């Protein structure tokens, strides 16, 4: 945006002073300035003329905001901000000060970014976490999962009012019934109240863990992040190609640390007994019932099993 001085520089010298006075009077007489000036009866025309550029900036940015084209196309000098004027008296003189103030769209954007930064996604589509949620949509898309949704909402209230709960959820159901979607909704809503969260898509995560075996620093940072996050979701557990190292030294370490500290959540197509069989068999060692039971002892007592009914949305 051009200032008054920039506009005047484009004029012939002989008309510059006359146009300057005309432009100054237009600014001082603008309805916005007249209304604003009424709050400060000590202001005189001389003070207004000295600070006319600030007044001009105020008018232009107010006008821009009135017909806002959206945050990504904000025409103001400082994206998502507008000029606010104030008056101070010092040493017998009156001064006009300006400062930049965040608009509602900028505040909403920053709030959403803060929520996004609180949630880490491991191989889960980011759109699932940032695409926006409507409680009506969650219920209306499939009334059969109303019981699961109702319990989820109760849990979120319990967490917001009473802090982190001892138990998480084990969401079990057929393909495409919205288990992952519900967990993303929970993470998103609780992130608004300051909770951190992570969601891990197990099949891809396990494959990547094998590659981390040679990068101990990255492996340690990943495991520590999953240990410490407030809310942890293992998505589609049971669908991974398990091996003893992942089961005992990664999953076991994470779950052992989180017991009685922070809640862990799971989505699966398997019932708990079926999941135990999955953990009791690996490609390397075959049947390992004891180790399967050991890891299930870090899951069973710390989850509330919820069946998510409904139709396959992917079909």
């Amino acid at each position: 945006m051009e200032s008054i001085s920039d506009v005047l520089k484009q004029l012939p010298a002989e008309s510059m002073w006359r146009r300057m006075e005309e432009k100054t009077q237009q600014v001082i007489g603008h309805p916005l300035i007249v209304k604003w000036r009424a709050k400060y009866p000590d202001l005189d025309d001389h003070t207004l003329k000295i600070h006319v550029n600030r007044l001009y900036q105020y008018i232009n940015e107010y006008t821009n905001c009135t017909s806002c084209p959206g945050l990504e196309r904000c025409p103001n000098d400082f994206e998502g901000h507008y000029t606010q004027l104030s008056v101070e008296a010092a040493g017998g003189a009156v001064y006009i000060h300006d400062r930049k103030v965040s608009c509602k769209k900028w505040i909403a954007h920053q709030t959403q970014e803060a929520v996004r930064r609180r949630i880490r996604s491991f191989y889960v589509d980011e759109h699932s976490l940032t695409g926006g949620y409507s409680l009506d949509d969650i219920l209306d898309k499939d009334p059969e999962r109303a019981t699961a949704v109702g319990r989820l909402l109760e849990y979120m209230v319990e967490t917001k009012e009473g802090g982190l709960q001892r138990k998480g959820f084990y969401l079990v159901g057929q393909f495409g019934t919205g288990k992952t979607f519900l967990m993303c909704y929970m993470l998103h809503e609780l992130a608004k109240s300051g909770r951190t969260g992570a969601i891990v898509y197990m099949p891809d995560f396990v494959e990547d863990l094998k590659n981390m075996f040679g990068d101990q620093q990255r492996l340690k940072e990943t495991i520590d992040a999953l240990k410490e996050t407030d809310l942890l979701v293992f998505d589609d557990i049971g669908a991974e190609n398990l091996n003893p190292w992942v089961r005992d030294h990664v999953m076991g370490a994470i779950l052992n640390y989180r017991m009685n500290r922070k809640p862990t959540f799971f989505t699966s197509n398997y019932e708990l007994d079926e999941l135990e069989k999955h953990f009791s068999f690996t490609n390397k060692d075959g049947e390992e019932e004891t180790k399967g039971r050991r890891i299930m002892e870090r899951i069973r007592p710390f989850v509330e099993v919820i069946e998510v009914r409904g139709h396959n949305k992917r079909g």
Side-chain angles (χ1 to χ4, degrees):
M1 183 201 71
E2 294 182 311
S3 67
I4 291 179
S5 60
D6 292 331
V7 174
L8 294 174
K9 287 177 183 177
Q10 302 171 19
L11 299 173
E14 62 272 14
S15 63
M16 184 180 70
W17 293 109
R18 176 172 55 82
R19 289 290 293 134
M20 179 183 292
E21 181 61 26
E22 290 176 358
K23 193 67 177 177
T24 298
Q25 290 303 321
Q26 287 177 10
V27 172
I28 293 175
H30 193 282
L32 280 174
I33 301 304
V34 172
K35 182 179 179 181
W36 173 79
R37 183 180 182 180
K39 297 187 293 184
Y40 306 102
D42 293 337
L43 280 175
D44 55 25
D45 285 354
H46 176 70
T47 303
L48 292 176
K49 289 179 180 180
I50 293 174
H51 300 282
V52 69
N53 263 334
R54 287 190 171 93
L55 304 181
Y56 185 70
Q57 181 90 355
Y58 170 74
I59 293 169
N60 275 275
E61 295 195 349
Y62 183 93
T63 303
N64 290 338
C65 290
T66 301
S67 55
C68 176
L71 188 61
E72 66 282 357
R73 298 190 301 277
C74 178
N76 290 348
D77 289 350
F78 188 10
E79 181 186 276
H81 294 74
Y82 60 91
T83 296
Q84 190 173 81
L85 300 176
S86 61
V87 174
E88 292 182 11
V94 178
Y95 299 91
I96 297 175
H97 297 279
D98 60 350
R99 65 187 182 95
K100 297 297 184 181
V101 179
S102 302
C103 72
K104 291 181 180 179
K105 285 185 172 62
W106 177 262
I107 293 172
H109 171 72
Q110 291 299 99
T111 300
Q112 184 61 35
E113 282 297 296
V115 168
R116 185 186 63 81
R117 287 192 295 269
R118 292 188 189 110
I119 306 173
R120 295 189 63 177
S121 171
F122 294 81
Y123 318 100
V124 174
D125 182 7
E126 287 287 341
H127 180 73
S128 300
L129 294 165
T130 60
Y133 301 94
S134 164
L135 187 56
D136 290 337
D137 286 345
I138 290 174
L139 289 170
D140 293 344
K141 282 182 178 178
D142 201 332
E144 288 189 46
R145 65 183 182 193
T147 301
V149 172
R151 180 65 190 103
L152 183 69
L153 296 177
E154 290 176 357
Y155 186 91
M156 288 160 52
V157 172
E158 291 166 1
T159 300
K160 289 177 181 179
E161 295 181 351
L164 289 177
Q165 304 297 296
R166 177 175 175 269
K167 286 188 175 184
F169 287 155
Y170 187 88
L171 300 187
V172 60
Q174 296 302 310
F175 298 103
T177 53
K179 300 182 294 295
T180 302
F181 182 77
L182 291 178
M183 287 291 92
C184 288
Y185 173 72
M186 178 195 71
L187 291 179
H188 186 269
E189 291 302 304
L190 291 179
K192 291 179 181 178
S193 60
R195 295 297 177 186
T196 59
I199 182 166
V200 180
Y201 181 60
M202 284 299 293
D204 289 348
F205 179 60
V206 167
E207 292 305 310
D208 199 36
L209 281 172
K210 297 172 185 176
N211 298 326
M212 289 186 206
F213 190 77
D215 187 348
Q216 291 298 306
Q217 182 61 32
R218 183 184 170 209
L219 177 63
K220 182 179 184 304
E221 290 174 356
T222 301
I223 293 176
D224 287 347
L226 299 184
K227 284 180 177 180
E228 296 293 347
T229 191
D230 290 337
L231 307 154
L232 174 60
V233 179
F234 285 117
D235 185 41
D236 210 4
I237 195 167
E240 68 280 352
N241 185 14
L242 202 63
N243 66 39
W245 175 73
V246 171
R247 179 194 60 199
D248 301 333
H249 299 287
V250 178
M251 291 294 295
I254 294 170
L255 294 173
N256 188 66
Y257 180 86
R258 295 183 65 84
M259 288 190 307
N260 291 314
R261 285 189 177 96
K262 297 179 179 182
T264 307
F265 304 81
F266 305 84
T267 75
S268 185
N269 303 126
Y270 293 108
E271 301 287 347
L272 285 174
D273 288 344
E274 295 172 315
L275 184 65
E276 182 171 333
K277 290 180 181 178
H278 170 72
F279 282 133
S280 298
F281 183 89
T282 62
N283 289 337
K284 181 179 179 181
D285 296 329
E287 294 289 339
E288 291 188 297
E289 293 183 3
T290 300
K291 292 184 177 180
R293 286 197 301 271
R294 181 180 298 138
I295 198 165
M296 289 304 297
E297 285 302 308
R298 290 158 174 77
I299 295 177
R300 284 184 195 275
F302 303 101
V303 293
E304 178 182 339
V305 178
I306 297 178
E307 181 182 5
V308 182
R309 300 179 179 178
H311 305 287
N312 188 339
K313 310 301 181 299
R314 304 188 193 114

mmCIF file of all heavy atoms in Angstrom, residues 15 26-27 111 298 305:
data_model
loop_
_atom_site.group_PDB
_atom_site.id
_atom_site.type_symbol
_atom_site.label_atom_id
_atom_site.label_comp_id
_atom_site.label_asym_id
_atom_site.label_seq_id
_atom_site.Cartn_x
_atom_site.Cartn_y
_atom_site.Cartn_z
ATOM 1 N N SER A 15 1.850 21.560 -7.992
ATOM 2 C CA SER A 15 0.554 21.206 -7.392
ATOM 3 C C SER A 15 0.699 20.348 -6.146
ATOM 4 O O SER A 15 -0.294 19.965 -5.533
ATOM 5 C CB SER A 15 -0.305 20.473 -8.426
ATOM 6 O OG SER A 15 0.308 19.264 -8.809
ATOM 7 N N GLN A 26 -8.955 15.202 3.412
ATOM 8 C CA GLN A 26 -9.779 14.022 3.139
ATOM 9 C C GLN A 26 -9.604 12.970 4.235
ATOM 10 O O GLN A 26 -10.573 12.347 4.672
ATOM 11 C CB GLN A 26 -9.399 13.423 1.780
ATOM 12 C CG GLN A 26 -9.872 14.218 0.589
ATOM 13 C CD GLN A 26 -9.397 13.596 -0.726
ATOM 14 O OE1 GLN A 26 -8.882 12.482 -0.752
ATOM 15 N NE2 GLN A 26 -9.573 14.343 -1.817
ATOM 16 N N VAL A 27 -8.351 12.782 4.640
ATOM 17 C CA VAL A 27 -8.077 11.791 5.688
ATOM 18 C C VAL A 27 -8.695 12.228 7.006
ATOM 19 O O VAL A 27 -9.382 11.454 7.688
ATOM 20 C CB VAL A 27 -6.558 11.571 5.833
ATOM 21 C CG1 VAL A 27 -6.265 10.698 7.053
ATOM 22 C CG2 VAL A 27 -5.991 10.926 4.580
ATOM 23 N N THR A 111 -4.273 -20.793 16.169
ATOM 24 C CA THR A 111 -4.822 -21.796 17.088
ATOM 25 C C THR A 111 -4.822 -23.173 16.435
ATOM 26 O O THR A 111 -4.432 -24.175 17.047
ATOM 27 C CB THR A 111 -6.246 -21.417 17.506
ATOM 28 O OG1 THR A 111 -6.225 -20.141 18.166
ATOM 29 C CG2 THR A 111 -6.831 -22.462 18.455
ATOM 30 N N ARG A 298 0.260 -56.009 29.069
ATOM 31 C CA ARG A 298 0.483 -54.566 29.025
ATOM 32 C C ARG A 298 -0.594 -53.853 28.213
ATOM 33 O O ARG A 298 -0.543 -52.643 28.051
ATOM 34 C CB ARG A 298 1.869 -54.281 28.433
ATOM 35 C CG ARG A 298 3.003 -54.686 29.371
ATOM 36 C CD ARG A 298 4.305 -54.899 28.617
ATOM 37 N NE ARG A 298 5.420 -55.142 29.546
ATOM 38 C CZ ARG A 298 5.648 -56.278 30.179
ATOM 39 N NH1 ARG A 298 4.801 -57.284 30.027
ATOM 40 N NH2 ARG A 298 6.684 -56.422 30.983
ATOM 41 N N VAL A 305 -12.581 -52.086 25.969
ATOM 42 C CA VAL A 305 -12.893 -52.601 24.640
ATOM 43 C C VAL A 305 -14.223 -52.022 24.169
ATOM 44 O O VAL A 305 -15.237 -52.091 24.868
ATOM 45 C CB VAL A 305 -12.958 -54.142 24.636
ATOM 46 C CG1 VAL A 305 -13.327 -54.659 23.244
ATOM 47 C CG2 VAL A 305 -11.628 -54.733 25.093
#
